[in-house]
Amino acid sequence: MKTYTYTEKKDTRSGFGAGLAELGRTNPNVVALCADLIGSLKMNEFIKENPERFFQVGIAEANMMGIAAGLTIGGKIPFTGTFANFSTGRVYDQIRQSIAYSGKNVKICASHAGLTLGEDGATHQILEDIGMMKMLPGMTVINPCDFNQTKAATIAIAEYEGPVYLRFGRPSVPIFTPADQKFEIGKAIKFTEGTDVTIVATGHLVWEALEASKVLHEAGISAEVINIHTIKPLDDAAILESVAKTGCVVSAEEHNILGGLGESVARLLATNSPAPQEFVGTNDTFGESGTPAQLMDKYGLSSTAIVEKVKKVIERK
Amino acid sequence: MPNIKHLEDICTQVRRDILRQVHKVNSGHPGGSLGCTEFFVALYNEIMDRKDAFEMDGIGEDLFFLSNGHISPVFYSVLARAGYFPVEELNTFRLIDSRLQGHPTTHEGLPGVRIASGSLGQGMSVAIGAAQAKKLNNDDKIVYTLHGDGELQEGQNWEAIMYASAKKVDNLISTVDLNGQQIDGATDDVLPMGSIKAKFEAFGWTVLEIEEGNNLEAVLEGMAKAKAETGKGKPVCVLLKTIMGNGVDFMMHTHAWHGKAPNDEQLEIGLAQNPETLGDY
């Protein structure tokens, strides 16, 4: 079995910051906006190098989304930066009308997504954002898994014409994808080959899925771990091909199981080739204060939780 | 000098277009549309510096954003009469498979529309973005917007108003249609807003008033003054006092025709008060 290790941990938001800085040097049309969270979004380097292409909007996210939509008229490629909560729920109608329905080329970049925001608690820990964004017609939804993938995704979405929701997080997590791996929107990445179960994972849960696959291997269970970095459009073919082989699937995400990646996978399977599925995610609940590790454990988002769901889904085959 | 007679003929025809659009589908918003007819006709035929080929890249010409999208009948009529799309297409207003949706949208590719609007309070933010893009592009043209007065109750406007002056977006002219009416009645009854002029001034804008917003010459003069105020470090606000339903006597001075279409008989009365000038579609 192919195993993954890491030598360094970094936050995915720094991957966004690094990607944005590189775009600042390579693409003169890229502009950035922030609603008073420059440091949290790691936008300092871009701003230092391109002060004329940065717009500090203040604590006014609705206005920021509208300005971003307007900046596209005249050829700019705006990247908005704030927490995931304030990038989605707070401004849903602005995104819906001025960006998605209007077909504007805005990149909504959302940090501190999910429980791993930690101690700030449920007011800031959005677990519904993937659902809200994937329901918008024409919106691309991306949740990369580590520093390198987030950096690559940030660079890739500038080349894509259309609205994108890019979701990343605050905690330091292992870097386990290659720094030179090109990011292809909508193209799943198979991390391990397996025959007994397919684990489709997104964001921070990809590393947990890989950890789970090691434990499962020792227990004689062969797991195929697929990284779904793009939740919409979903890589239907990759999932169907894998599940055709393994006969069951576990979805894993740092998000409510209502409306997340798992539901997209369930719809895909139900309409093509139904197979038993188990869901790793939060279950219709708000989060709370705590360390990221404590929260991932308490809300069933750890590798241990994935192992349990795998055993359960295999029994249902 | 603008040919006032010609512009007045366009206004009369636009009022007919408005009435006929909403009558045909028995839906739409005639009141605010009629009240803003002179403003739209002045803007698109005299004030704005527009490219002749109707390109939609937004570069090198003045731009307009309608924030209170429900007055789409006047917007569509003026765009069609200016040449953005065939006037016959006004026949498709609010019909299935039409580019002329109930509220304006870019989604169906209708030339002249640069943003979807209808959910209120979003247009000024978009216009600010477009104005700032112009500055980045060294494009010295101007961005215009129109807002309802009731629409100013939406909080996003005040985020945008604060931002525009803080960032010296001085290539922006935002006009507020002060007709004093909204769906549930007079703005002063629904939610009194006090002095809108004082509010914009307190937020750092240059404010001009057009007392007779349905007098074409007054609108032309007022908008020319507004244009002269751009480029001076402040965004410019025009308070345009209009009469809702203007030009159709039974629709005037009331909110009753905000979102209601005339019946056959009412249409005939309204059309008789606005005889055909440029030719009906």
Side-chain angles (χ1 to χ4, degrees):
Chain A
M1 190 189 91
K2 191 172 178 186
T3 57
Y4 287 83
T5 54
Y6 67 92
T7 53
E8 193 187 358
K9 290 172 100 174
K10 255 188 183 174
D11 44 2
T12 51
R13 59 180 167 156
S14 287
F16 164 70
L20 187 66
E22 188 166 321
L23 284 173
R25 293 170 206 128
T26 57
N27 191 332
N29 286 324
V30 168
V31 299
L33 303 89
C34 188
D36 195 30
L37 285 169
I38 291 168
S40 296
L41 269 288
K42 305 291 180 187
M43 296 169 92
N44 312 68
E45 203 174 337
F46 177 92
I47 297 165
K48 190 178 165 203
E49 294 176 8
N50 312 279
E52 76 293 349
R53 282 194 273 152
F54 173 70
F55 302 91
Q56 170 62 272
V57 180
I59 311 166
E61 294 83 5
N63 191 36
M64 176 167 74
M65 292 304 168
I67 293 172
L71 281 161
T72 66
I73 302 164
K76 303 303 165 198
I77 307 171
F79 283 61
T80 67
T82 182
F83 289 167
N85 192 21
F86 313 135
S87 294
T88 57
R90 189 176 180 94
V91 291
Y92 194 72
D93 190 47
Q94 283 77 19
I95 294 174
R96 182 176 181 275
Q97 175 171 284
S98 294
I99 296 174
Y101 186 43
S102 293
K104 298 303 184 205
N105 190 23
V106 175
K107 315 305 172 186
I108 301 161
C109 302
S111 186
H112 294 52
L115 289 174
T116 50
L117 162 79
E119 291 80 354
D120 276 347
T123 54
H124 289 51
Q125 290 162 340
I126 194 153
L127 296 162
E128 310 90 45
D129 54 325
I130 290 174
M132 281 189 277
M133 291 298 112
K134 80 175 187 179
M135 281 199 294
L136 286 171
M139 183 67 74
T140 293
V141 180
I142 297 171
N143 188 187
C145 63
D146 71 355
F147 174 92
N148 286 339
Q149 194 175 75
T150 310
K151 182 181 175 188
T154 304
I155 293 164
I157 61 176
E159 296 297 317
Y160 166 81
E161 173 80 25
V164 174
Y165 179 62
L166 180 67
R167 178 193 213 236
F168 42 89
R170 176 173 184 256
S172 280
V173 292
I175 301 177
F176 55 97
T177 67
D180 60 352
Q181 188 167 63
K182 192 168 158 35
F183 188 90
E184 290 183 67
I185 295 171
K187 184 92 177 116
I189 300 170
K190 192 186 290 181
F191 274 88
T192 66
E193 295 270 356
T195 53
D196 298 325
V197 64
T198 301
I199 305 175
V200 290
T202 194
H204 293 146
L205 269 289
V206 178
W207 178 253
E208 297 297 324
L210 291 171
E211 290 288 278
S213 72
K214 289 179 200 165
V215 175
L216 290 165
H217 180 70
E218 284 163 20
I221 296 169
S222 164
E224 184 148 298
V225 176
I226 300 179
N227 169 208
I228 306 290
H229 50 65
T230 307
I231 293 141
K232 185 186 172 189
L234 195 63
D235 190 342
D236 295 358
I239 296 167
L240 290 172
E241 186 188 320
S242 178
V243 177
K245 178 174 61 174
T246 63
C248 65
V249 63
V250 170
S251 54
E253 59 196 305
E254 190 181 345
H255 189 272
N256 195 340
I257 61 172
L258 304 179
L261 165 66
E263 280 197 350
S264 290
V265 171
R267 177 195 47 77
L268 173 69
L269 294 175
T271 51
N272 287 275
S273 51
Q277 180 178 350
E278 291 292 332
F279 297 76
V280 171
T282 58
N283 187 1
D284 199 17
T285 183
F286 291 106
E288 63 179 289
S289 293
T291 67
Q294 286 170 335
L295 291 162
M296 295 293 266
D297 183 51
K298 177 169 177 176
Y299 288 86
L301 302 181
S302 61
S303 61
T304 310
I306 297 173
V307 168
E308 284 168 15
K309 292 286 170 100
V310 165
K311 288 178 176 169
K312 191 174 169 192
V313 82
I314 286 175
E315 278 176 25
R316 292 175 52 208
K317 277 211 271 189
Chain B
M1 273 295 288
N3 182 338
I4 296 294
K5 171 71 174 65
H6 177 61
L7 294 176
E8 280 175 350
D9 282 349
I10 300 176
C11 287
T12 306
Q13 189 65 49
V14 167
R15 284 194 285 269
R16 287 180 70 87
D17 291 350
I18 293 166
L19 293 170
R20 294 178 68 232
Q21 284 177 86
V22 299
H23 169 263
K24 182 180 178 189
V25 291
N26 192 28
S27 77
H29 297 79
S33 293
L34 289 166
C36 291
T37 297
E38 290 79 8
F39 170 77
F40 272 89
V41 169
L43 196 67
Y44 272 83
N45 293 282
E46 279 298 328
I47 304 296
M48 280 170 71
D49 184 359
R50 296 184 293 111
K51 290 193 283 195
D52 296 329
F54 306 106
E55 303 108 305
M56 288 299 292
D57 61 9
I59 294 170
E61 67 174 337
D62 290 351
L63 304 178
F64 171 73
F65 294 91
L66 177 64
S67 191
N68 49 332
H70 58 272
I71 65 168
S72 55
V74 64
F75 191 25
Y76 293 152
S77 170
V78 169
L79 286 177
R81 298 284 171 188
Y84 280 90
F85 56 87
V87 287
E88 293 72 32
E89 205 167 340
L90 296 175
N91 255 320
T92 69
F93 175 64
R94 286 188 173 228
L95 294 179
I96 192 82
D97 297 328
S98 173
R99 297 197 293 180
L100 277 61
Q101 292 290 297
H103 293 81
T105 176
T106 57
H107 198 256
E108 318 303 332
L110 186 69
V113 180
R114 299 179 189 278
I115 196 78
S117 61
S119 177
L120 295 172
Q122 299 188 24
M124 194 185 295
S125 300
V126 175
I128 288 168
Q132 293 198 293
K134 282 201 178 298
K135 285 184 181 266
L136 279 178
N137 289 337
N138 296 314
D139 175 346
D140 64 358
K141 295 296 185 279
I142 294 170
V143 177
Y144 293 87
T145 64
L146 181 65
H147 313 262
D149 47 2
E151 186 186 9
L152 295 179
Q153 291 158 7
E154 289 282 5
Q156 185 182 344
N157 286 307
W158 301 99
E159 294 182 1
I161 293 164
M162 186 184 291
Y163 177 94
S165 58
K167 304 289 176 169
K168 299 183 169 53
V169 184
D170 60 1
N171 52 345
L172 173 68
I173 300 177
S174 288
T175 298
V176 180
D177 174 18
L178 284 186
N179 63 22
Q181 306 288 334
Q182 57 190 110
I183 294 180
D184 279 352
T187 51
D188 279 345
D189 294 331
V190 177
L191 185 74
M193 288 178 281
S195 170
I196 292 171
K197 180 170 191 274
K199 286 182 170 64
F200 269 91
E201 283 175 346
F203 276 67
W205 286 52
T206 296
V207 183
L208 302 172
E209 292 175 284
I210 300 178
E211 292 292 336
E212 293 179 67
N214 297 112
N215 176 331
L216 203 45
E217 291 184 66
V219 174
L220 287 169
E221 189 191 334
M223 293 309 292
K225 276 186 190 163
K227 204 165 182 172
E229 289 297 325
T230 58
K232 295 182 178 176
K234 288 180 173 190
V236 179
C237 169
V238 175
L239 299 179
L240 181 78
K241 292 187 184 162
T242 71
I243 297 164
M244 206 172 187
N246 184 65
V248 179
D249 59 7
F250 60 90
M251 289 186 175
M252 292 170 72
H253 303 289
T254 171
H255 67 277
W257 296 90
H258 168 89
K260 183 179 147 189
N263 61 26
D264 294 350
E265 189 185 338
Q266 290 162 335
L267 175 70
E268 288 312 313
I269 298 169
L271 292 180
Q273 293 171 12
N274 294 278
E276 197 171 345
T277 54
L278 309 183
D280 286 340
Y281 55 85

